[in-house]
Amino acid sequence: PEQNWGFPPYNWGEMHRDGCLWWKRRLRHMDQYFHAYRIDHVLGFFRMWEIPQRGGGGKYNPSSGLREAGLKNLRAIQTASSMLICGEDLGNVPDEVPPVLLELGICGLRIQRWCDGQTWKYPYLCVGASSCHDCSPCRLWWNEEWGGAEGWYNYFVGKGQCPGGPPDWISQKIVKMHCEGTSLLTINPIQDYVDMWQKLRSPDPKQDMINRPGHTDGCWTWRCHLRIDDLLKEDNFNGFIHKMMGETKRGVVY
C-alpha cells in the first residue's frame, strides 16, 4: 500500500539557490559533536515519491536523471562538514544509487539477513549490522522466520540440525561474523549483544522490537530490560566483548 507520511517534499531547486544553506548550517553545528551521521532513506536525495495534497496519484520526482540529481544534492551537503556519511540504501534501490554512493565515498548499509550474508565479502564502504531498528533482533528473527534461520544455520554452520532458541553461541557467532567482516564499520543493536549471554537475555524476545514498519501500535516504546550500570558489572560478558573486539581489531585506533 502507498505510504503517506504527510511530509512536504523537498524543493531542491529552491534549496540550491542559496547553496543548500539550510542543510549546511545544521551539519556544521552537528560537526562539533559527531564523527558520522546516517541519512535515512538516502534514495530521497535522488528522487521522492510525491502524493498530491488531496491524496492518491503518487509519482516519482524526478522520474529520470537520478544519477545527476543524487550527485548534486549529496555533494551539496557532503562539503558542509568533515563527518562520515552513511546512507540507508535498503529496499528497492534504483541502479543509479550504489555507484553514486561509491563515487562520493558514502557508506551504504548491509543487514545480514537481507543480503547474501557473507560478511567477509562486504564492500569496505558500508556499515554491517546484525539487525536494525526496522527489523526484528536476531533472536526474535530466529523464532519467527524459521526458514531463514535454518538457511543461515545450514550455510554458516552446516553441522547437525538447526537448533531452536537460538542458543547463545549462535548469537555470539552472528555478532563475531560482523566484527570479523570487511565493512568499514559494524554497528549491532544492543539487543543482539545482550542475547550473546544466556542469563542476560530478556524474558520475551517479542518485547525487544523497536519498530514494525507499517504498524503504529507498540512502536518506538522499547526500553532495555537491563540498566547500563548493571551491565557494567557483568565482568564475564564485558570481558567476552572486549576480547572479541581486540581479536577482530574493531575499536582499534591506528
Side-chain angles (χ1 to χ4, degrees):
E2 186 173 74
Q3 294 188 41
N4 186 348
W5 295 340
F7 297 154
Y10 291 135
N11 186 333
W12 285 110
E14 184 65 26
M15 286 195 286
H16 279 294
R17 287 183 63 184
D18 63 4
C20 292
L21 190 60
W22 183 89
W23 285 100
K24 291 180 177 179
R25 284 175 175 168
R26 284 154 180 78
L27 291 168
R28 287 168 186 157
H29 185 77
M30 288 169 55
D31 204 6
Q32 302 174 80
Y33 308 105
F34 307 109
H35 294 104
Y37 64 96
R38 173 183 182 273
I39 299 176
D40 199 21
H41 303 288
V42 73
L43 180 54
F45 281 73
F46 294 78
R47 72 181 185 191
M48 308 230 14
W49 181 251
E50 297 182 356
I51 303 171
Q53 195 169 18
R54 64 183 182 276
K59 65 178 182 179
Y60 286 117
N61 183 22
S63 58
S64 61
L66 300 193
R67 171 181 163 77
E68 293 74 17
L71 280 171
K72 182 178 181 180
N73 297 335
L74 287 169
R75 276 176 174 156
I77 68 164
Q78 188 179 39
T79 56
S81 77
S82 61
M83 292 182 288
L84 177 71
I85 304 175
C86 172
E88 183 268 290
D89 55 349
L90 303 173
N92 296 321
V93 176
D95 293 339
E96 295 91 338
V97 174
V100 168
L101 298 185
L102 181 62
E103 182 175 338
L104 297 179
I106 294 175
C107 291
L109 183 59
R110 296 292 183 278
I111 306 296
Q112 189 179 33
R113 75 191 70 161
W114 292 342
C115 60
D116 63 15
Q118 298 179 16
T119 55
W120 61 92
K121 291 184 178 179
Y122 282 179
Y124 180 68
L125 273 178
C126 82
V127 177
S130 52
S131 63
C132 69
H133 63 282
D134 275 341
C135 68
S136 53
C138 289
R139 180 162 66 111
L140 179 58
W141 168 71
W142 196 275
N143 284 277
E144 288 189 335
E145 299 182 35
W146 181 250
E150 193 170 34
W152 184 97
Y153 182 86
N154 291 335
Y155 188 84
F156 295 112
V157 179
K159 295 180 180 179
Q161 190 173 10
C162 181
D168 55 7
W169 67 266
I170 289 285
S171 298
Q172 293 168 13
K173 182 174 179 62
I174 291 173
V175 172
K176 188 175 183 180
M177 286 179 68
H178 286 79
C179 292
E180 292 175 336
T182 50
S183 59
L184 172 63
L185 299 172
T186 180
I187 302 177
N188 304 304
I190 191 172
Q191 298 98 313
D192 291 341
Y193 279 106
V194 169
D195 283 343
M196 295 192 304
W197 225 243
Q198 184 66 42
K199 76 167 191 172
L200 298 179
R201 289 180 165 184
S202 64
D204 181 2
K206 290 184 179 181
Q207 299 303 315
D208 291 337
M209 282 287 294
I210 294 177
N211 182 45
R212 292 184 183 272
H215 298 77
T216 54
D217 294 338
C219 295
W220 301 105
T221 60
W222 177 79
R223 296 293 183 272
C224 186
H225 63 289
L226 300 169
R227 293 176 57 85
I228 295 298
D229 291 345
D230 294 329
L231 270 178
L232 289 172
K233 298 173 185 176
E234 295 291 338
D235 294 337
N236 291 336
F237 171 70
N238 292 315
F240 178 85
I241 293 178
H242 189 270
K243 183 173 183 291
M244 181 191 296
M245 297 302 160
E247 290 175 346
T248 59
K249 302 293 191 271
R250 292 290 179 180
V252 174
V253 178
Y254 294 96

